[in-house]
Amino acid sequence: MPKDTFFNLPDEKRQRVIDAAIDEFAERSFHEARVTAIAEGAGIAMGSFYQYFEDKKDLFKYIIELIVKEKLAYINQDMMANMQNYGFFQLLREIYSRGLRFAKERPRLLAIGLSLTNNEALYHEVYGDHVQTSDDFFRKLLAKGIADGDLDPTMDPILVARLLTMLNYALADFVYEDGKLDLDDMEIIDKMLNLIENGIKNRAAALGGC
């Protein structure tokens, strides 16, 4: 987390630092990113950088936090306020669809996310920082699904929210594994949603055995 000196900066100067960091991390991997380039792009002295952040990782994790918050705000646009218009599985599909649109509209942020998936140690460290945020988000959706009668009321919402969080990260691995994002293809997402909704049991075989 940045130091208080960073948050005490004027808004315009603080935004310059954020923009310079996004430019550098979008262009280069975490290990290749240069603090000197970030400082130069932000128009600050190198000494000032370390007055604002402990190190490069401190800044990188802060940028990831901003990306997560921006993505959640994007997904929540109108949808969560009007969630009564969606069934649970419609809502879940729309969330993933908006996530893909967010990536398309913010290619620099997507580039940072893709570079993170190539750094396993850092990926798991950052993932751990945001598990609870994701769990809370899915628990809210599950509560709605139960209230609407779409979901089994005997489920454990804490367990299922965590499973959805882990599936969300696994889905990202599949979608981005080739280093590209096919924004016109929801096939992978629909396969995952079908698995969540219908499971993997061979129901036809089960019925045939009755």
Side-chain angles (χ1 to χ4, degrees), residues 16-17 20-21 24 34-46 49:
R16 287 206 319 264
V17 175
E24 183 67 9
R34 304 157 299 166
V35 172
T36 52
I38 295 171
E40 182 179 347
I44 63 173
M46 278 290 294
F49 178 90

Side-chain angles (χ1 to χ4, degrees), residues 142-155:
L142 291 168
K144 176 192 180 301
I146 291 172
D148 290 347
D150 292 335
L151 302 177
D152 180 359
T154 65
M155 78 164 68

